Amino acid sequence: MRRLFTYHAGKPSGRGRRRRALSALLLFLLSGTVLVNAQESVDYITLSGTVKDSYSRKKIEHVSVTAVGTHVGTVTNEDGEFTLKLPAGLEANEIEFACLGYYNTRIRISRWQNQQTCFLKPHSIRLSEVEVLSWQNPRDLIKAALSKVEQNYSMNPNLLTGFYRETIQKRNKYIHITEAVVHIYKHSYQVADVENDRIQILKGRKLVSPKPGDTLNVKFLGGPNMAVYMDVIKNPDLLLSGEMLPCYSYRMGETASLDDRLQYVVHFQPQVALPVPLYSGTFYIDRETLAFTRAEFSMDMKDRLKVIGVILKEKPAGLRFSPEEVSYVVTYKQHSGKTYLNYIRNEIRFKCDWKRRLFATNYTIIDETVVTDIQEENIRKIPAREVFSIRQSLSQEVPAYFDSDFWGAYNIIEPAESLENAVNKLKKQQRKSQ
């Protein structure tokens, strides 16, 4: 299965701009790259463990794991597991765990145990802790938060290091796994525009099912460039531009806690009909700074033809395509008084079947990117010759992998047990097919 990118530079006006703004959510790039040599000789220590709910003992996924006082971090996988690699000489004494709805927890590195278990306590907000809402109109709250972007986000260029993974499942079977370490050049947030942001692939690998029946030949928009286009603050045309705000109705939700800070919760849903689908979701806004900290949203599926028009670019004749869900999560994390992009997840569920067949086949595509480090000084814009190319395919550019130490000192999202099992099966299939 191949996914394409058809984003065009430039800012359209009027109706054309609205159309692109609404479809931009899927203008990511599973596309080309220039592979560069990465330094892997740096010594590092590895900390591994699992994060669980202190009451239920259930494993918690997507927990932010960070070396305190640094930008080095990762997130837990769907099994609550993580591995964090700390460069030698890194000035950090503790590891901090943060998750929506839980109190932050820290563990001293000097007391770290092999396969450390960290327990997070759910954050229960007493009414006495909650101030009387001063925002009677949630849209005014969003506008106030947008007015503070220059105060809350970096006004200087930054170079983020991130880890990207894409998986494709046919029913419950993995048929495609692509991974890469990326550099994400972020221009100043003073300009709400992503045209100067760039992606570079440092290292990547793939595993693809060799079985002919696992090839669908359906082309989507998507891929690693979601770290550019899914930044809803830097790219307000997605949801937060002056043109988009009137398209939605808003209501205040119950107060939440994230990273030990109280959050305003604003739910939104479409209130107009446009030629392309809109979205329903939730914004989390820091009560003290009014920084956007999290966005969760899903494409409106009432008109499936509109959804198909946005996400599907090409399919074989006779193949029936039915989208079931298109959803996103975008999170930000505060460091030294500024808020930075932290984690992005995109999930697309759909069904395909051929005419005259009785049953359709379920497919799921999941893209996720976690920022594992941030460089704030002596930033070099990624040269044009090394930028992620729209004319190449990531899966065609990176090799199949068999090396267990492939990533070296890079931080990644630890594969869940089900994904590890899938990797082993795909490796065996590829060996047999060679």
Side-chain angles (χ1 to χ4, degrees):
M1 185 178 293
R2 185 181 178 193
R3 305 177 70 193
L4 300 183
F5 172 77
T6 58
Y7 178 80
H8 298 285
K11 293 184 177 180
S13 58
R15 187 173 180 179
R17 177 174 176 142
R18 182 181 293 113
R19 286 174 178 270
R20 201 189 84 177
L22 294 170
S23 62
L25 284 170
L26 285 168
L27 297 184
F28 317 141
L29 178 59
L30 181 65
S31 184
T33 178
V34 178
L35 297 179
V36 299
N37 293 325
Q39 180 66 31
E40 297 184 2
S41 61
V42 179
D43 293 331
Y44 60 92
I45 62 172
T46 301
L47 307 177
S48 298
T50 305
V51 182
K52 298 182 179 181
D53 185 296
S54 62
Y55 296 148
S56 68
R57 294 303 195 262
K58 291 183 178 179
K59 298 176 181 179
I60 310 175
E61 62 182 344
H62 307 153
V63 177
S64 177
V65 183
T66 309
V68 176
T70 77
H71 294 299
V72 177
T74 186
V75 295
T76 60
N77 63 19
E78 63 184 38
D79 294 331
E81 300 171 343
F82 68 93
T83 294
L84 186 63
K85 298 172 184 177
L86 305 179
L90 186 71
E91 296 183 0
N93 297 317
E94 296 178 305
I95 303 301
E96 184 171 58
F97 303 84
C99 185
L100 180 66
Y102 290 88
Y103 288 101
N104 286 13
T105 297
R106 292 186 179 187
I107 296 178
R108 292 191 65 82
I109 296 174
S110 60
R111 298 179 181 177
W112 200 270
Q113 300 177 2
N114 185 34
Q115 291 300 317
Q116 176 79 45
T117 299
C118 173
F119 293 99
L120 299 188
K121 182 180 178 181
H123 193 299
S124 56
I125 302 172
R126 298 192 302 270
L127 290 178
S128 59
E129 295 177 334
V130 181
E131 63 193 40
V132 177
L133 288 177
S134 59
W135 298 100
Q136 299 300 322
N137 186 336
R139 187 178 298 175
D140 289 342
L141 170 59
I142 290 177
K143 290 180 179 179
L146 289 172
S147 73
K148 289 184 174 292
V149 165
E150 292 188 15
Q151 179 180 328
N152 287 322
Y153 300 83
S154 178
M155 292 297 103
N156 300 311
N158 292 284
L159 187 65
L160 316 182
T161 301
F163 174 74
Y164 169 81
R165 175 181 288 138
E166 177 185 85
T167 61
I168 302 176
Q169 289 179 268
K170 178 181 181 182
R171 300 186 181 93
N172 295 321
K173 180 181 69 174
Y174 287 93
I175 61 174
H176 180 111
I177 303 167
T178 307
E179 301 173 322
V181 173
V182 301
H183 268 166
I184 308 162
Y185 173 82
K186 283 287 181 185
H187 195 60
S188 168
Y189 277 78
Q190 188 172 14
V191 179
D193 194 332
V194 296
E195 291 183 3
N196 288 314
D197 292 0
R198 294 182 170 185
I199 295 286
Q200 175 188 25
I201 304 300
L202 302 180
K203 191 172 188 179
R205 64 185 186 179
K206 67 180 177 186
L207 277 175
V208 181
S209 172
K211 296 182 179 180
D214 289 337
T215 301
L216 191 57
N217 292 326
V218 175
K219 297 180 182 180
F220 294 93
L221 298 174
N225 255 34
M226 66 179 179
V228 169
Y229 297 104
M230 285 298 296
D231 186 342
V232 296
I233 309 305
K234 189 69 179 296
N235 191 17
D237 280 353
L238 299 178
L239 294 167
L240 293 170
S241 68
E243 187 179 37
M244 293 304 302
L245 290 179
C247 296
Y248 293 94
S249 62
Y250 303 89
R251 64 180 178 86
M252 299 297 297
E254 296 184 1
T255 299
S257 172
L258 177 60
D259 209 7
D260 277 351
R261 301 175 67 90
L262 293 181
Q263 309 286 316
Y264 290 114
V265 178
V266 180
H267 303 295
F268 62 92
Q269 62 182 20
Q271 67 174 1
V272 299
L274 295 178
V276 290
L278 293 172
Y279 304 85
S280 297
T282 304
F283 291 122
Y284 295 82
I285 301 173
D286 187 282
R287 277 180 172 259
E288 180 181 342
T289 65
L290 294 188
F292 289 90
T293 56
R294 184 181 179 96
E296 305 167 354
F297 46 103
S298 299
M299 189 173 290
D300 188 351
M301 305 299 292
K302 291 179 181 178
D303 190 330
R304 302 298 174 94
L305 292 178
K306 289 182 182 180
V307 176
I308 291 172
V310 171
I311 69 173
L312 184 64
K313 293 299 145 183
E314 186 177 329
K315 70 177 183 65
L319 182 71
R320 293 184 291 196
F321 175 85
S322 176
E324 301 293 315
E325 179 185 0
V326 183
S327 61
Y328 309 88
V329 175
V330 184
T331 73
Y332 299 83
K333 190 170 181 63
Q334 188 179 96
H335 296 282
S336 302
K338 295 295 182 181
T339 304
Y340 300 86
L341 185 67
N342 182 59
Y343 176 70
I344 298 174
R345 178 184 172 88
N346 166 217
E347 181 171 350
I348 302 175
R349 295 191 299 107
F350 59 96
K351 292 182 179 180
C352 285
D353 70 327
W354 294 92
K355 293 179 180 178
R356 300 176 183 173
R357 287 189 180 180
L358 185 59
F359 300 107
T361 302
N362 295 312
Y363 291 88
T364 303
I365 300 175
I366 296 177
D367 295 343
E368 55 183 343
T369 301
V370 60
V371 174
T372 58
D373 203 358
I374 302 173
Q375 183 180 340
E376 299 178 277
E377 299 179 355
N378 302 318
I379 303 303
R380 178 188 69 117
K381 188 173 184 178
I382 298 171
R385 66 181 181 278
E386 298 174 7
V387 171
F388 209 54
S389 170
I390 65 174
R391 290 178 292 275
Q392 295 172 287
S393 167
L394 179 61
S395 63
Q396 292 176 355
E397 294 295 320
V398 298
Y401 66 89
F402 300 96
D403 180 7
S404 59
D405 296 321
F406 182 83
W407 299 116
Y410 287 119
N411 275 301
I412 67 170
I413 302 173
E414 188 73 8
E417 182 179 0
S418 60
L419 186 60
E420 282 197 26
N421 292 336
V423 166
N424 292 331
K425 290 179 181 178
L426 288 174
K427 283 181 180 178
K428 292 178 182 178
Q429 292 175 8
Q430 287 194 350
R431 290 192 181 102
K432 290 180 180 179
S433 65
Q434 290 175 352

